[in-house]
Amino acid sequence: MFRTTALSLALLVGLYCTLVGQDNKQAEEAAKALRAQYQQTALAGGNSERGKQVFASEKAGCVKCHRIEGDEQRAGPDLRVVGDKYALDQLIRSVLEPSASIHPDYASLVVTTVAGKVYTGVLRKRTKQEIQLLDAESKLVRIPLDDVDEEKRSPTSLMPAKLAETMSPEQFADLIAFLTTLKQPVTDPGTLPGLVNEIPMIKKPIRLERLHTKDIKFDHPVCVIALPGSKTDLMVVEQKTRKIWRLQNKTDRELFVDLSAEASTGQFEGVMCLAFHPNYLKNRKYYVNYHVRNQGSFFSPIIAERQATADLRRDAGGASRRLLQIPQDTDLHWGGMLAFGPDGYLYIGSGDAGPQEDPEGH
């Protein structure tokens, strides 16, 4: 009796899972076909004037998260020049599949409090006292740090996955047509200080030469600098692997240091640059600019001092001496330049994407 009941239950569970799987597959196929219909309609073209009305409509809700003028903070990206940034097919996909590619500055942060409340939004600012989020309505939510139990990044965009289905395919095409018109105003370069209408040809042609043989490959190299004391060797910084290589006479490379134990890595973060002390041949000191990221936070550039071995062949090992950490309110600060000036000072470029998507307007 027990075996019969257990067998029947197993058959029922198996049948249920099969039916659910079939339903999910059918739903996915239907959604794919619907996206294809909207895509083809948008590719055929729409009316930008009608699209502007769709953008401003309460039903579409675009203005809740995006702005095309003014400076009021929004949870989503500023769209005033989106037509310059993205091609037609990219704009279409960004609306049809908003979670397919999320800009790191607009990834959703899910914060769970000690009391069990869950808040989801785009991180606007983090202080020593609180976390500030912008929710799907672009409303500011303040959460005291003492109340936070857990925080994690979500792979899902705040933008509704089925936003396009709130409008007809023709309205969707009109909306996309409007977005393509949002571009930077064309300005005569001759009217801007320091710019010229025509750039003269140089008298002596530039010749590009390979720095290394074809068999040597680097992974996301972001900085190449001459090695002090050598006429042939170069130092190559790899952003994502967080390794610095010594390139010897174009034909061979040797690992100088691996900073993966200290630096974080990602699409836009890692080790960015290095600079040798002006007296490197004697004191063996050099400096690196790399990123670190704490749980749920934006990455922060670190300026650190390290030292080479006595023969200057490689890094001496041990932890870096951190000289400076630069707090960030956005993941858009991707720069990382380091260089000693003729005055002997170390100059640091932390990077900045401008006020368009910087919460602090820097």
Side-chain angles (χ1 to χ4, degrees):
M1 178 67 178
F2 175 76
R3 289 183 178 179
T4 303
T5 303
L7 180 60
S8 300
L9 181 60
L11 289 173
L12 287 173
V13 171
L15 178 61
Y16 172 78
C17 292
T18 301
L19 292 174
V20 170
Q22 291 176 348
D23 289 343
N24 289 340
K25 185 176 181 180
Q26 291 175 356
E28 290 175 4
E29 291 176 350
K32 185 177 180 180
L34 189 62
R35 288 197 299 268
Q37 179 188 2
Y38 276 72
Q39 181 182 28
Q40 291 303 316
T41 306
L43 288 173
N47 184 292
S48 61
E49 287 300 319
R50 291 198 302 264
K52 186 176 182 179
Q53 296 175 9
V54 175
F55 183 87
S57 69
E58 183 70 24
K59 189 175 183 180
C62 302
V63 293
K64 293 180 180 179
C65 284
H66 302 282
R67 66 184 181 194
I68 56 175
E69 59 185 5
D71 56 4
E72 187 176 353
Q73 187 67 44
R74 291 285 190 269
D78 189 314
L79 300 182
R80 70 187 75 199
V81 292
V82 71
D84 279 328
K85 290 184 175 182
Y86 302 104
L88 177 60
D89 60 327
Q90 292 174 312
L91 289 173
I92 293 172
R93 191 186 184 202
S94 67
V95 181
L96 291 177
E97 302 177 76
S99 295
S101 179
I102 304 175
H103 192 286
D105 247 26
Y106 296 97
S108 300
L109 184 66
V110 181
V111 179
T112 305
T113 67
V114 177
K117 288 187 176 181
V118 179
Y119 299 93
T120 302
V122 174
L123 180 62
R124 181 186 182 276
K125 193 173 185 179
R126 180 190 299 272
T127 69
K128 294 180 180 180
Q129 292 77 35
E130 64 180 10
I131 293 175
Q132 297 180 12
L133 300 179
L134 287 173
D135 66 12
E137 300 287 325
S138 291
K139 294 179 180 178
L140 184 63
V141 179
R142 298 175 181 268
I143 309 167
L145 280 181
D146 291 340
D147 293 346
V148 175
D149 179 54
E150 181 186 35
E151 53 180 288
K152 60 182 179 181
R153 295 206 170 209
S154 170
T156 305
S157 171
L158 277 183
M159 186 172 171
K162 297 183 179 181
L163 174 63
E165 296 179 26
T166 64
M167 61 192 80
S168 68
E170 291 72 26
Q171 289 174 321
F172 176 75
D174 293 340
L175 173 63
I176 297 298
F178 170 64
L179 294 179
T180 62
T181 67
L182 300 177
K183 298 183 178 183
Q184 186 77 27
V186 178
T187 305
D188 180 3
T191 64
L192 299 177
L195 296 182
V196 295
N197 286 316
E198 185 177 347
I199 300 176
M201 294 288 290
I202 58 174
K203 295 180 180 180
K204 186 177 181 180
I206 294 176
R207 185 179 66 182
L208 300 179
E209 294 184 0
R210 274 186 170 272
L211 293 179
H212 54 84
T213 54
K214 292 183 179 181
D215 59 310
I216 297 179
K217 307 293 183 183
F218 291 103
D219 185 348
H220 289 83
V222 290
C223 176
V224 179
I225 187 172
L227 179 65
S230 173
K231 295 181 179 180
T232 58
D233 292 1
L234 300 170
M235 303 297 287
V236 180
V237 178
E238 292 183 338
Q239 173 201 336
K240 292 189 176 182
T241 66
R242 295 155 291 176
K243 295 178 180 179
I244 300 176
W245 298 88
R246 177 172 178 160
L247 179 62
Q248 303 173 97
N249 200 27
K250 298 185 178 182
T251 60
D252 193 19
R253 70 173 185 174
E254 180 181 349
L255 183 63
F256 186 79
V257 65
D258 184 346
L259 296 173
S260 58
E262 295 187 20
S264 60
T265 186
Q267 185 178 3
F268 304 110
E269 58 196 285
V271 179
M272 306 303 293
C273 193
L274 88 156
F276 291 101
H277 191 282
N279 201 25
Y280 171 74
L281 296 180
K282 291 184 178 180
N283 63 25
R284 300 178 283 133
K285 292 181 179 180
Y286 71 98
Y287 302 85
V288 288
N289 185 328
Y290 61 79
H291 297 127
V292 295
R293 183 191 293 273
N294 298 321
Q295 182 185 8
S297 69
F298 296 122
F299 59 72
S300 297
I302 297 289
I303 310 302
E305 180 186 84
R306 298 189 64 84
Q307 196 169 36
T309 54
D311 60 3
L312 303 178
R313 296 295 304 176
R314 60 186 60 83
D315 182 87
S320 300
R321 184 167 79 96
R322 292 189 177 184
L323 305 179
L324 178 67
Q325 180 168 352
I326 307 173
Q328 301 286 10
D329 291 314
T330 169
D331 269 346
L332 284 173
H333 295 244
W334 302 334
M337 182 62 187
L338 287 180
F340 277 92
D343 54 6
Y345 283 92
L346 178 62
Y347 287 84
I348 303 166
S350 64
D352 193 290
Q356 182 176 327
E357 293 174 327
D358 189 324
E360 297 301 314
H362 297 152

